């Protein structure tokens, strides 16, 4: 039996696997290859859609399907298909219209399972496209007929994101959906009960891994669920305080090859699983 056999590591991307330059260090790539060569399963659970993780996927070459849209889907890149989806109810458009009228400067994006639509652009959405490389596929949110995975709002003014959060949480239909702040300038509406933590047991079952043999690594609010759900939850040093407070341990920052550090700490027995 190989030393890492039966162990699944799930990493967040931005702020965790990716450094501040949005790159994956050679140290992380080498450690991941070492982990996989010795029986481990490595993948990621991200807020991104499969359509804009191809470059990362090809560099990392995960040996398990990956979680996407903050837990709203599981995608098998090798087969080019979803293994699991949980679309958001179309009634979410009532909340989108409410925000559109109340905060007209707010950027609005709808992530369907095959396409990402920019329904209302602003500076934050322009920055988002630069970072992700997504095409500026414009469409009115009322005209999207395909199943939707999530709604994303963006504004460079973080005070507006704070206002948005309060408005959504106080909406009469708030209990029908979940909300998550995925970055200082980004806020999302997700299907009820869906987050990275909820999708982790589904992924583990699909690939026949014991949930007690899982490690999750992250840095931000949308990683809280998987940090709590995994047997070992790891916060990177640059993580928000709330994540650090629930993690089993805190490792080095994303700029100091955090994934490699976790793998070598596992090997050395710094933590056991």
């Amino acid at each position: 039996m190989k030393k890492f056999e039966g162990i699944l590591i799930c990493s967040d991307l931005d702020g965790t696997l990716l450094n501040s330059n949005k790159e994956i260090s050679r140290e992380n790539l080498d450690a991941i290859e070492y982990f996989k060569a010795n029986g481990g399963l490595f993948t990621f659970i991200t807020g991104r859609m499969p359509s804009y993780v191809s470059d990362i996927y090809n560099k990392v070459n995960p040996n398990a399907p990956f979680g996407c849209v903050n837990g709203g889907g599981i995608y098998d890149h090798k087969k080019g298909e979803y293994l699991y989806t949980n679309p958001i109810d179309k009634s979410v458009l009532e909340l989108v219209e409410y925000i559109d009228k109340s905060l007209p400067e707010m950027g609005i994006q709808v992530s369907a399972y095959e396409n990402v639509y920019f329904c209302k652009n602003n500076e934050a959405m322009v920055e988002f496209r630069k970072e992700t490389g997504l095409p500026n596929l414009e469409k009115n949110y009322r005209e999207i007929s395909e199943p939707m995975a999530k709604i994303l709002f963006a504004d460079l003014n973080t005070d507006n994101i704070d206002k948005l959060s309060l408005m959504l949480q106080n909406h009469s239909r708030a209990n029908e959906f979940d909300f998550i702040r995925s970055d200082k300038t980004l806020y999302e509406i997700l299907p009820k009960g869906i987050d990275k933590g909820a999708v982790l047991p589904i992924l583990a079952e699909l690939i026949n891994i014991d949930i007690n043999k899982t490690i999750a690594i992250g840095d931000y609010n949308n990683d809280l669920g998987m940090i709590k759900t995994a047997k070992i939850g790891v916060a990177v040093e640059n993580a928000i305080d709330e994540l650090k407070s629930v993690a089993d341990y805190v490792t080095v920052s994303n700029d100091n090859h955090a994934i490699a550090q976790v793998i070598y700490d596992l090997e050395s027995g710094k933590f056991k699983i």
Side-chain angles (χ1 to χ4, degrees), residues 48-105:
R48 300 188 187 201
M49 301 293 296
S51 55
Y52 61 99
V53 297
S54 290
D55 287 349
I56 296 170
Y57 183 93
N58 291 332
K59 289 176 182 175
V60 176
N61 193 25
N63 55 350
F66 63 87
C68 53
V69 289
N70 277 326
I74 295 173
Y75 193 77
D76 188 324
H77 197 277
K78 289 184 172 64
K79 294 181 179 178
E81 64 184 31
Y82 284 93
L83 304 180
Y84 163 82
T85 60
N86 192 324
I88 197 165
D89 192 272
K90 292 283 187 179
S91 62
V92 72
L93 294 180
E94 182 179 327
L95 279 71
V96 178
E97 289 183 339
Y98 169 61
I99 295 301
D100 193 10
K101 291 176 182 176
S102 303
L103 297 171
E105 68 275 30

Side-chain angles (χ1 to χ4, degrees), residues 5-10 41 43 45 74 195-216 225-233 248 271-273:
E5 193 167 333
I7 298 174
L8 171 66
I9 294 179
C10 295
L41 292 175
T43 192
I45 300 179
I74 295 173
D195 65 12
K196 292 185 180 184
V199 84
L200 180 55
I202 299 171
L203 173 60
E205 184 176 357
L206 281 171
I207 60 177
N208 197 29
I209 289 289
D210 184 346
I211 193 68
N212 291 312
K213 291 290 185 178
T214 58
I215 300 168
M226 70 174 184
I227 294 298
K228 293 177 181 178
T229 302
K231 178 63 177 178
I232 302 292
D248 294 293
F271 66 87
K272 298 183 184 298
I273 191 167

Side-chain angles (χ1 to χ4, degrees), residues 246-257:
V246 301
D248 294 293
Y249 91 105
V250 178
T251 189
V252 298
S253 78
N254 65 320
D255 288 326
N256 287 299
H257 328 299

Side-chain angles (χ1 to χ4, degrees), residues 77-235:
H77 197 277
K78 289 184 172 64
K79 294 181 179 178
E81 64 184 31
Y82 284 93
L83 304 180
Y84 163 82
T85 60
N86 192 324
I88 197 165
D89 192 272
K90 292 283 187 179
S91 62
V92 72
L93 294 180
E94 182 179 327
L95 279 71
V96 178
E97 289 183 339
Y98 169 61
I99 295 301
D100 193 10
K101 291 176 182 176
S102 303
L103 297 171
E105 68 275 30
M106 186 68 60
I108 302 172
Q109 179 212 94
V110 173
S111 293
Y113 283 99
E114 299 300 332
N115 296 298
V116 176
Y117 297 103
F118 289 90
C119 307
K120 196 164 191 179
N121 276 304
N122 62 5
E123 283 187 75
M125 284 300 182
V126 171
E127 289 297 317
F128 185 81
R129 281 198 301 279
K130 285 181 182 178
E131 288 186 9
T132 61
L134 282 168
N136 187 18
L137 187 59
E138 296 184 5
K139 195 167 190 176
N140 189 295
Y141 54 82
R142 302 174 188 87
E143 298 172 355
I144 297 171
S145 58
E146 59 200 280
M148 299 182 293
K150 67 176 183 178
I151 309 295
L152 182 141
F153 299 98
D155 199 311
L156 295 181
N157 184 339
T158 56
D159 288 341
N160 283 341
I161 297 293
D162 292 337
K163 290 178 187 176
L164 166 76
S165 175
L166 286 173
M167 291 171 67
L168 285 175
Q169 292 179 45
N170 290 321
H171 193 277
S172 60
R173 305 192 70 163
N175 63 350
E176 298 174 30
F177 304 96
D178 281 341
F179 310 107
I180 191 75
R181 192 164 188 164
S182 51
D183 188 82
K184 291 179 181 179
T185 62
L186 304 175
Y187 199 86
E188 302 181 15
I189 307 179
L190 298 167
K192 189 70 178 178
I194 292 299
D195 65 12
K196 292 185 180 184
V199 84
L200 180 55
I202 299 171
L203 173 60
E205 184 176 357
L206 281 171
I207 60 177
N208 197 29
I209 289 289
D210 184 346
I211 193 68
N212 291 312
K213 291 290 185 178
T214 58
I215 300 168
I217 313 166
D219 75 306
Y220 212 71
N221 295 79
N222 60 332
D223 300 316
L224 280 164
M226 70 174 184
I227 294 298
K228 293 177 181 178
T229 302
K231 178 63 177 178
I232 302 292
V234 182

